[in-house]
Amino acid sequence: GLGVSNSLPGKDGAKPRVALLGRQNELMWLGIMPARHGVGGLFFLRLGVEPREKGPALVLRYAPLRGKAEDMPDWAVADAIELAEEVESVQFQYLGEAKDGWLSEWSAPQKLPTRIRLDVQGVGGVLRDLVVAVVEGPGETRAGGIVIGGGN
């Protein structure tokens, strides 16, 4: 499943907000990177299609949480991993309550979707149609805290 930090602190005593923003063509979330030499802890992550030297590709960008958790990083300078080449588009859909069906965007501030569907279109057709469960991380996220290990 997709590991998402449970929540961000709410402003001025408000309820905590979930740390995921889902759009039709990109997904952004705050998650725990596995511990390894020089890396680990809370990171902003973004998954979407980007232009690359060899053509459009599915790219995962990531940047460590620094300062306020509400401040998204500058994705243009964030580290990147190219996951698949020759990708024309990716579409995300989000499942909350079963009665609502699949939604093209997710911005519910108080809850996470239960599932996320990715439809990846390649140059030659559908590359992958994938559904992942969303897994909540431990507790409330507080900027400046120490995270040890990879979560679950």
Side-chain angles (χ1 to χ4, degrees), residues 54-129:
K54 297 179 182 179
L58 183 62
V59 175
L60 176 68
R61 289 204 173 259
Y62 58 96
L65 172 65
R66 298 192 197 286
K68 295 181 181 179
E70 293 85 8
D71 298 334
M72 284 284 186
D74 179 357
W75 292 116
V77 298
D79 290 325
I81 299 171
E82 194 170 297
L83 301 176
E85 295 179 338
E86 299 183 358
V87 173
E88 290 183 351
S89 68
V90 63
Q91 288 193 338
F92 296 95
Q93 291 183 313
Y94 309 89
L95 182 64
E97 303 295 326
K99 64 180 167 62
D100 296 333
W102 290 94
L103 305 171
S104 61
E105 299 205 357
W106 189 267
S107 60
Q110 303 301 328
K111 62 182 179 176
L112 292 169
T114 58
R115 303 271 188 275
I116 299 175
R117 180 168 41 208
L118 294 82
D119 294 319
V120 181
Q121 294 287 328
V123 173
V126 175
L127 287 178
R128 178 71 69 176
D129 186 6

Side-chain angles (χ1 to χ4, degrees), residues 4-10 16 19 30-32 42 65 69 137-145 147:
V4 177
S5 177
N6 190 16
S7 60
L8 297 172
L30 185 63
I32 299 173
L42 288 171
L65 172 65
E140 187 174 300
T141 300
R142 301 212 182 271
V147 176

Side-chain angles (χ1 to χ4, degrees), residues 131-151:
V131 176
V132 294
V134 177
V135 180
E136 288 188 25
E140 187 174 300
T141 300
R142 301 212 182 271
I146 297 173
V147 176
I148 300 172

